[in-house]
Amino acid sequence: MEDTMRKSLEAIKRRVEEIDVELSDPALQEDIGKLTSLSKERSDLEPGYEKFCEFLKLESDLKDAMEIINGDDQEMAEMMKGERHSIEKQIEELEVSLKAYLIPVDPNDKKNIIVEIRGAVGGDEANIFAGDLLRMYTKYSESQGWKLQYIDGVEGTAGGYSYVSFMIKGESVYSKLKFESGAHRVQRVPKTEASGRIHTSTATVLVMPEAEEVDVKINPADLKIDTYRSQGAGGQNVNKTESAVRITHIPTGIVVACQTEKAQLQNKEICMQMIRAKVQDYYQSIQDDAIASERKLKVGTGERSEKIRTYNYPQNRVTDHRIGYTINQLDRVMEGEMDSIIEALIHFDQEQKILEIENANNK
């Protein structure tokens, strides 16, 4: 194992042991904030810590085996040679997996997300496809045990949505869906096409981690809040009370709206969640553009204009262009069976980050 990698893993081991000492202090029970923070930090470090402890145990076992092999008892030495090869193979495999634990943790990975889907190029067919993507994410969320909450939308005249926004809440949602931002392209014969010709249309997806008040500070004076009567998918109170809320963030011009809840107060709270997420995403995008060569995701920039995936219906094929991954199970993917694509994206991103670490260590 390289010295730099070992030192990093030893630092993780020391930190876990330090946390264990702090957590054993009875006085800590009175400081709930610190107790929660330390427990979360230990939980994040624990997988790497346990793997490294396993690695150290194997190293110790290998050392003992070598002493026997190099000893005077030839019979024991011969018996131990097979054990030695087994231990060396385990050490080699563990060393590869340990690299993943050195990748800096994305602080947003465990957060809920806010998603916006818009019909883009292709008119009615683009809007219909936007609706199909909403259904796909709904099905995937159900398979993960997550909760999808509709926020706002504008239905297309021929079906689907020209715009729809929703929130997904659950365990580590952002870690799995953060690579979905971008332009999704569909190739198929539209329902609106009489001649049976294949058309190409696109819908854009924007995924934002939910932002808490501590993540982004918004001055109330920078907000313009309007209320209006619900229209469309808003519940039984449509056109009866001004329960729908629209909030404009004046400095950025960002506008959000929600009409899904019956109470104006609830719609306002959802709008505030959206504003925080979108304002944070706005300023983060500016920061990322300023240092684009260093910060852009290796699997893509996440920009709406970037074509990230093609859904080809005639060939039952889905291709993610960022990693060159193709699966001939489009029908299953559209039913929410997205695991193979998501796992491929996560794996590729981890590989690229490990290469970055190795290149930095070799400089």
Side-chain angles (χ1 to χ4, degrees):
M1 179 181 287
E2 296 176 357
D3 287 343
T4 306
M5 181 176 175
R6 183 180 291 273
K7 287 177 181 177
S8 298
L9 291 166
E10 286 173 344
I12 290 175
K13 185 173 181 291
R14 283 196 304 272
R15 181 55 187 154
V16 169
E17 290 167 352
E18 288 170 0
I19 292 173
D20 285 343
V21 171
E22 291 187 70
L23 289 174
S24 65
D25 183 358
L28 186 64
Q29 302 301 317
E30 299 178 7
D31 189 342
I32 301 300
K34 186 175 181 181
L35 176 63
T36 302
S37 176
L38 286 173
S39 297
K40 181 180 181 301
E41 183 182 358
R42 195 194 189 290
S43 176
D44 291 339
L45 295 175
E46 186 172 12
Y49 166 76
E50 290 183 347
K51 285 286 185 183
F52 186 51
C53 287
E54 184 181 344
F55 179 87
L56 294 175
K57 174 65 168 56
L58 286 170
E59 277 194 331
S60 177
D61 292 345
L62 181 61
K63 181 180 178 182
D64 293 342
M66 292 305 298
E67 287 180 358
I68 293 173
I69 291 170
N70 296 324
D72 297 330
D73 191 332
Q74 293 300 311
E75 186 177 345
M76 285 295 294
E78 285 299 319
M79 291 176 60
M80 192 53 66
K81 285 181 180 178
E83 183 70 15
R84 167 195 172 184
H85 292 307
S86 175
I87 295 172
E88 286 177 337
K89 185 177 180 181
Q90 291 179 68
I91 287 176
E92 185 179 334
E93 291 173 350
L94 257 182
E95 188 171 339
V96 172
S97 65
L98 276 167
K99 291 179 180 179
Y101 295 105
L102 299 180
I103 299 172
V105 177
D106 186 336
N108 293 321
D109 272 354
K110 293 189 176 182
K111 291 186 176 182
N112 301 324
I113 61 172
I114 292 172
V115 184
E116 292 184 350
I117 304 176
R118 296 177 185 271
V121 179
D124 287 339
E125 170 63 7
N127 294 342
I128 292 170
F129 181 53
D132 293 338
L133 291 177
L134 169 61
R135 183 177 181 276
M136 179 183 75
Y137 292 127
T138 300
K139 291 283 188 179
Y140 181 68
S141 297
E142 290 172 355
S143 74
Q144 299 296 306
W146 299 337
K147 179 183 177 183
L148 187 145
Q149 179 183 8
Y150 173 90
I151 295 176
D152 192 30
V154 178
E155 295 182 0
T157 54
Y161 293 87
S162 62
Y163 163 78
V164 63
S165 63
F166 51 95
M167 180 180 291
I168 303 178
K169 299 180 179 180
E171 182 68 28
S172 302
V173 179
Y174 186 73
S175 69
K176 292 189 175 182
L177 293 180
K178 61 184 175 182
F179 299 127
E180 291 301 299
S181 291
H184 295 238
R185 182 175 70 172
V186 63
Q187 294 174 326
R188 64 185 178 188
V189 178
K191 296 176 182 177
T192 55
E193 173 60 49
S195 64
R197 291 183 299 119
I198 294 174
H199 284 225
T200 297
S201 305
T202 59
T204 61
V205 177
L206 177 62
V207 176
M208 299 167 285
E210 184 181 13
E212 304 292 339
E213 290 186 48
V214 294
D215 298 325
V216 55
K217 297 292 183 182
I218 294 180
N219 186 343
D222 290 337
L223 300 178
K224 179 176 180 290
I225 301 175
D226 299 305
T227 60
Y228 58 99
R229 292 184 178 183
S230 297
Q231 298 175 0
Q236 293 85 353
N237 61 326
V238 173
N239 294 327
K240 291 182 180 179
T241 61
E242 290 196 348
S243 60
V245 176
R246 182 188 300 108
I247 298 181
T248 304
H249 184 249
I250 298 170
T252 61
I254 292 171
V255 180
V256 300
C258 181
Q259 58 176 336
T260 189
E261 302 296 331
K262 295 180 181 179
Q264 185 184 110
L265 189 62
Q266 291 174 305
N267 284 327
K268 182 180 177 182
E269 176 54 35
I270 292 173
C271 279
M272 286 304 300
Q273 289 176 316
M274 293 178 68
I275 278 288
R276 285 194 293 266
K278 296 194 74 168
V279 168
Q280 178 173 263
D281 180 72
Y282 174 84
Y283 287 116
Q284 186 66 55
S285 296
I286 293 175
Q287 181 180 340
D288 287 350
D289 288 342
I291 50 177
S293 61
E294 297 178 18
R295 289 293 303 278
K296 281 185 177 178
L297 289 170
K298 298 305 176 185
V299 293
T301 63
E303 295 173 356
R304 290 189 181 188
S305 59
E306 180 188 14
K307 181 186 69 179
I308 65 168
R309 193 176 298 150
T310 293
Y311 304 73
N312 185 296
Y313 276 73
Q315 298 177 19
N316 197 35
R317 170 173 53 84
V318 181
T319 298
D320 195 288
H321 303 288
R322 296 164 295 181
I323 59 176
Y325 180 84
T326 295
I327 181 173
N328 292 101
Q329 297 178 353
L330 181 145
D331 52 340
R332 296 185 182 180
V333 170
M334 298 311 293
E335 288 297 318
E337 296 183 28
M338 301 174 63
D339 284 323
S340 61
I341 298 174
I342 289 169
E343 288 170 6
L345 286 164
I346 292 172
H347 180 68
F348 183 85
D349 185 55
Q350 288 179 340
E351 282 185 337
Q352 295 303 305
K353 288 175 179 176
I354 288 171
L355 283 175
E356 282 186 356
I357 293 170
E358 291 177 344
N359 291 336
N361 291 340
N362 293 331
K363 287 183 179 179

